[in-house]
Amino acid sequence: MTVYSVRRIVLESYPILPACALISLFAGYLLNINVEKIEKVPLILMMVPPINGIGGNIGSILGARLASALHMGTVEPRLRGQRVLRGNIRASVLMSIGIFSIISASFFFIACVRGTAPVDSIRLMFAFFIAGMMSVPVIVLSTVALAFVSFARGLDPDNVVIPVVTSIIDVSGVTCLLIAIKIVGV
């Protein structure tokens, strides 16, 4: 029995990829319209790849685990009464808290080394952490929804979830970062 078909992978993935490119372009648009704010604190630009990368990685890990669980039948495309689903979501949230904390602390040290005042360095650290935590619900909800919807419609979640989730995270990561910067007053 063939588990994977090249034809199926191409047919399911091909329409998704151009749509994902368009979604990701919107993240660039958001950065472009906020360029004046970013020019005032260039370190903000340095925060974009990690927030999008970490978010995309967490969503990809969750998406891959859910796709496998759906294929094996240990998770069904429904929300209630699923211990395996709850465990995967809990693990994703805990990973997010840990990694966003570590990277936030890194931004504090980077800002201090670059000569940023300690108070402003703390603001940058909190801005990154807040943005990361704001993006976690988007990561989890979009990943679970995409995995369930694609599986329920007969599509292989492995062909759909990761590209779409990473594109959604590109936009939400930038959006959350811009909101967090406004919240902490950077």
Side-chain angles (χ1 to χ4, degrees), residues 57-77:
N57 291 338
I58 291 167
S60 296
I61 292 167
L62 179 59
R65 294 185 57 80
L66 289 179
S68 296
L70 287 162
H71 288 305
M72 292 186 313
T74 57
V75 168
E76 296 175 15

PDB file of all heavy atoms in Angstrom, residues 57-77:
ATOM      1  N   ASN A  57       7.639  27.458  13.760  1.00  0.00           N
ATOM      2  CA  ASN A  57       8.155  26.171  14.222  1.00  0.00           C
ATOM      3  C   ASN A  57       7.201  25.495  15.197  1.00  0.00           C
ATOM      4  O   ASN A  57       6.964  24.288  15.103  1.00  0.00           O
ATOM      5  CB  ASN A  57       9.529  26.349  14.880  1.00  0.00           C
ATOM      6  CG  ASN A  57      10.598  26.712  13.876  1.00  0.00           C
ATOM      7  OD1 ASN A  57      10.469  26.467  12.682  1.00  0.00           O
ATOM      8  ND2 ASN A  57      11.666  27.318  14.365  1.00  0.00           N
ATOM      9  N   ILE A  58       6.650  26.269  16.120  1.00  0.00           N
ATOM     10  CA  ILE A  58       5.711  25.694  17.084  1.00  0.00           C
ATOM     11  C   ILE A  58       4.466  25.189  16.357  1.00  0.00           C
ATOM     12  O   ILE A  58       3.978  24.089  16.613  1.00  0.00           O
ATOM     13  CB  ILE A  58       5.366  26.709  18.189  1.00  0.00           C
ATOM     14  CG1 ILE A  58       6.605  26.926  19.068  1.00  0.00           C
ATOM     15  CG2 ILE A  58       4.173  26.244  19.026  1.00  0.00           C
ATOM     16  CD1 ILE A  58       6.522  28.103  19.994  1.00  0.00           C
ATOM     17  N   GLY A  59       3.949  25.991  15.426  1.00  0.00           N
ATOM     18  CA  GLY A  59       2.797  25.558  14.641  1.00  0.00           C
ATOM     19  C   GLY A  59       3.110  24.339  13.786  1.00  0.00           C
ATOM     20  O   GLY A  59       2.280  23.435  13.639  1.00  0.00           O
ATOM     21  N   SER A  60       4.318  24.283  13.244  1.00  0.00           N
ATOM     22  CA  SER A  60       4.713  23.143  12.415  1.00  0.00           C
ATOM     23  C   SER A  60       4.832  21.870  13.240  1.00  0.00           C
ATOM     24  O   SER A  60       4.405  20.789  12.811  1.00  0.00           O
ATOM     25  CB  SER A  60       6.045  23.425  11.717  1.00  0.00           C
ATOM     26  OG  SER A  60       5.905  24.501  10.826  1.00  0.00           O
ATOM     27  N   ILE A  61       5.420  21.985  14.426  1.00  0.00           N
ATOM     28  CA  ILE A  61       5.529  20.816  15.304  1.00  0.00           C
ATOM     29  C   ILE A  61       4.143  20.321  15.679  1.00  0.00           C
ATOM     30  O   ILE A  61       3.847  19.122  15.578  1.00  0.00           O
ATOM     31  CB  ILE A  61       6.358  21.161  16.567  1.00  0.00           C
ATOM     32  CG1 ILE A  61       7.814  21.418  16.197  1.00  0.00           C
ATOM     33  CG2 ILE A  61       6.242  20.057  17.617  1.00  0.00           C
ATOM     34  CD1 ILE A  61       8.636  22.055  17.313  1.00  0.00           C
ATOM     35  N   LEU A  62       3.275  21.236  16.101  1.00  0.00           N
ATOM     36  CA  LEU A  62       1.913  20.847  16.466  1.00  0.00           C
ATOM     37  C   LEU A  62       1.175  20.274  15.269  1.00  0.00           C
ATOM     38  O   LEU A  62       0.497  19.241  15.369  1.00  0.00           O
ATOM     39  CB  LEU A  62       1.157  22.044  17.056  1.00  0.00           C
ATOM     40  CG  LEU A  62      -0.299  21.798  17.472  1.00  0.00           C
ATOM     41  CD1 LEU A  62      -0.397  20.693  18.527  1.00  0.00           C
ATOM     42  CD2 LEU A  62      -0.920  23.093  17.985  1.00  0.00           C
ATOM     43  N   GLY A  63       1.313  20.917  14.118  1.00  0.00           N
ATOM     44  CA  GLY A  63       0.642  20.433  12.908  1.00  0.00           C
ATOM     45  C   GLY A  63       1.096  19.047  12.506  1.00  0.00           C
ATOM     46  O   GLY A  63       0.277  18.188  12.139  1.00  0.00           O
ATOM     47  N   ALA A  64       2.391  18.791  12.576  1.00  0.00           N
ATOM     48  CA  ALA A  64       2.910  17.467  12.216  1.00  0.00           C
ATOM     49  C   ALA A  64       2.412  16.406  13.194  1.00  0.00           C
ATOM     50  O   ALA A  64       2.034  15.297  12.790  1.00  0.00           O
ATOM     51  CB  ALA A  64       4.434  17.498  12.196  1.00  0.00           C
ATOM     52  N   ARG A  65       2.406  16.752  14.473  1.00  0.00           N
ATOM     53  CA  ARG A  65       1.929  15.785  15.478  1.00  0.00           C
ATOM     54  C   ARG A  65       0.435  15.507  15.294  1.00  0.00           C
ATOM     55  O   ARG A  65      -0.003  14.368  15.404  1.00  0.00           O
ATOM     56  CB  ARG A  65       2.235  16.299  16.881  1.00  0.00           C
ATOM     57  CG  ARG A  65       3.750  16.361  17.156  1.00  0.00           C
ATOM     58  CD  ARG A  65       4.065  16.742  18.576  1.00  0.00           C
ATOM     59  NE  ARG A  65       3.473  15.866  19.553  1.00  0.00           N
ATOM     60  CZ  ARG A  65       3.952  14.669  19.907  1.00  0.00           C
ATOM     61  NH1 ARG A  65       5.033  14.214  19.333  1.00  0.00           N
ATOM     62  NH2 ARG A  65       3.351  13.950  20.828  1.00  0.00           N
ATOM     63  N   LEU A  66      -0.342  16.549  15.013  1.00  0.00           N
ATOM     64  CA  LEU A  66      -1.780  16.347  14.806  1.00  0.00           C
ATOM     65  C   LEU A  66      -2.050  15.557  13.528  1.00  0.00           C
ATOM     66  O   LEU A  66      -2.940  14.702  13.502  1.00  0.00           O
ATOM     67  CB  LEU A  66      -2.518  17.685  14.765  1.00  0.00           C
ATOM     68  CG  LEU A  66      -2.628  18.421  16.092  1.00  0.00           C
ATOM     69  CD1 LEU A  66      -3.364  19.746  15.911  1.00  0.00           C
ATOM     70  CD2 LEU A  66      -3.319  17.576  17.142  1.00  0.00           C
ATOM     71  N   ALA A  67      -1.302  15.839  12.468  1.00  0.00           N
ATOM     72  CA  ALA A  67      -1.474  15.077  11.222  1.00  0.00           C
ATOM     73  C   ALA A  67      -1.210  13.602  11.462  1.00  0.00           C
ATOM     74  O   ALA A  67      -2.000  12.743  11.034  1.00  0.00           O
ATOM     75  CB  ALA A  67      -0.543  15.627  10.133  1.00  0.00           C
ATOM     76  N   SER A  68      -0.141  13.299  12.181  1.00  0.00           N
ATOM     77  CA  SER A  68       0.161  11.897  12.485  1.00  0.00           C
ATOM     78  C   SER A  68      -0.925  11.281  13.351  1.00  0.00           C
ATOM     79  O   SER A  68      -1.363  10.150  13.105  1.00  0.00           O
ATOM     80  CB  SER A  68       1.514  11.787  13.211  1.00  0.00           C
ATOM     81  OG  SER A  68       2.559  12.214  12.380  1.00  0.00           O
ATOM     82  N   ALA A  69      -1.369  12.021  14.360  1.00  0.00           N
ATOM     83  CA  ALA A  69      -2.410  11.502  15.255  1.00  0.00           C
ATOM     84  C   ALA A  69      -3.732  11.286  14.509  1.00  0.00           C
ATOM     85  O   ALA A  69      -4.434  10.298  14.757  1.00  0.00           O
ATOM     86  CB  ALA A  69      -2.615  12.455  16.432  1.00  0.00           C
ATOM     87  N   LEU A  70      -4.065  12.182  13.589  1.00  0.00           N
ATOM     88  CA  LEU A  70      -5.277  12.006  12.788  1.00  0.00           C
ATOM     89  C   LEU A  70      -5.160  10.774  11.890  1.00  0.00           C
ATOM     90  O   LEU A  70      -6.100   9.981  11.785  1.00  0.00           O
ATOM     91  CB  LEU A  70      -5.559  13.255  11.952  1.00  0.00           C
ATOM     92  CG  LEU A  70      -6.079  14.465  12.728  1.00  0.00           C
ATOM     93  CD1 LEU A  70      -5.899  15.745  11.913  1.00  0.00           C
ATOM     94  CD2 LEU A  70      -7.538  14.273  13.118  1.00  0.00           C
ATOM     95  N   HIS A  71      -4.003  10.590  11.255  1.00  0.00           N
ATOM     96  CA  HIS A  71      -3.791   9.429  10.388  1.00  0.00           C
ATOM     97  C   HIS A  71      -3.849   8.122  11.184  1.00  0.00           C
ATOM     98  O   HIS A  71      -4.372   7.121  10.694  1.00  0.00           O
ATOM     99  CB  HIS A  71      -2.447   9.515   9.662  1.00  0.00           C
ATOM    100  CG  HIS A  71      -2.407  10.538   8.578  1.00  0.00           C
ATOM    101  ND1 HIS A  71      -3.313  10.562   7.536  1.00  0.00           N
ATOM    102  CD2 HIS A  71      -1.561  11.580   8.363  1.00  0.00           C
ATOM    103  CE1 HIS A  71      -3.026  11.573   6.724  1.00  0.00           C
ATOM    104  NE2 HIS A  71      -1.968  12.205   7.203  1.00  0.00           N
ATOM    105  N   MET A  72      -3.306   8.150  12.403  1.00  0.00           N
ATOM    106  CA  MET A  72      -3.285   6.931  13.224  1.00  0.00           C
ATOM    107  C   MET A  72      -4.601   6.690  13.947  1.00  0.00           C
ATOM    108  O   MET A  72      -4.823   5.614  14.483  1.00  0.00           O
ATOM    109  CB  MET A  72      -2.150   7.008  14.252  1.00  0.00           C
ATOM    110  CG  MET A  72      -0.785   6.958  13.624  1.00  0.00           C
ATOM    111  SD  MET A  72       0.585   6.863  14.818  1.00  0.00           S
ATOM    112  CE  MET A  72       0.200   8.104  16.013  1.00  0.00           C
ATOM    113  N   GLY A  73      -5.459   7.700  13.992  1.00  0.00           N
ATOM    114  CA  GLY A  73      -6.743   7.555  14.666  1.00  0.00           C
ATOM    115  C   GLY A  73      -6.699   7.833  16.158  1.00  0.00           C
ATOM    116  O   GLY A  73      -7.680   7.578  16.854  1.00  0.00           O
ATOM    117  N   THR A  74      -5.596   8.372  16.660  1.00  0.00           N
ATOM    118  CA  THR A  74      -5.527   8.697  18.089  1.00  0.00           C
ATOM    119  C   THR A  74      -6.157  10.053  18.400  1.00  0.00           C
ATOM    120  O   THR A  74      -6.373  10.381  19.563  1.00  0.00           O
ATOM    121  CB  THR A  74      -4.071   8.661  18.611  1.00  0.00           C
ATOM    122  OG1 THR A  74      -3.274   9.565  17.846  1.00  0.00           O
ATOM    123  CG2 THR A  74      -3.494   7.259  18.517  1.00  0.00           C
ATOM    124  N   VAL A  75      -6.420  10.823  17.356  1.00  0.00           N
ATOM    125  CA  VAL A  75      -7.150  12.090  17.470  1.00  0.00           C
ATOM    126  C   VAL A  75      -8.199  12.094  16.369  1.00  0.00           C
ATOM    127  O   VAL A  75      -7.943  11.650  15.260  1.00  0.00           O
ATOM    128  CB  VAL A  75      -6.209  13.316  17.306  1.00  0.00           C
ATOM    129  CG1 VAL A  75      -7.000  14.605  17.135  1.00  0.00           C
ATOM    130  CG2 VAL A  75      -5.267  13.446  18.489  1.00  0.00           C
ATOM    131  N   GLU A  76      -9.376  12.588  16.713  1.00  0.00           N
ATOM    132  CA  GLU A  76     -10.452  12.751  15.732  1.00  0.00           C
ATOM    133  C   GLU A  76     -10.657  14.243  15.510  1.00  0.00           C
ATOM    134  O   GLU A  76     -10.379  15.044  16.398  1.00  0.00           O
ATOM    135  CB  GLU A  76     -11.742  12.110  16.254  1.00  0.00           C
ATOM    136  CG  GLU A  76     -11.633  10.618  16.420  1.00  0.00           C
ATOM    137  CD  GLU A  76     -12.889  10.015  17.043  1.00  0.00           C
ATOM    138  OE1 GLU A  76     -13.934  10.706  17.080  1.00  0.00           O
ATOM    139  OE2 GLU A  76     -12.806   8.877  17.497  1.00  0.00           O
ATOM    140  N   PRO A  77     -11.184  14.625  14.343  1.00  0.00           N
ATOM    141  CA  PRO A  77     -11.362  16.062  14.071  1.00  0.00           C
ATOM    142  C   PRO A  77     -12.534  16.671  14.849  1.00  0.00           C
ATOM    143  O   PRO A  77     -13.548  17.072  14.295  1.00  0.00           O
ATOM    144  CB  PRO A  77     -11.577  16.118  12.556  1.00  0.00           C
ATOM    145  CG  PRO A  77     -12.004  14.765  12.164  1.00  0.00           C
ATOM    146  CD  PRO A  77     -11.460  13.810  13.176  1.00  0.00           C
TER     147      PRO A  77
END
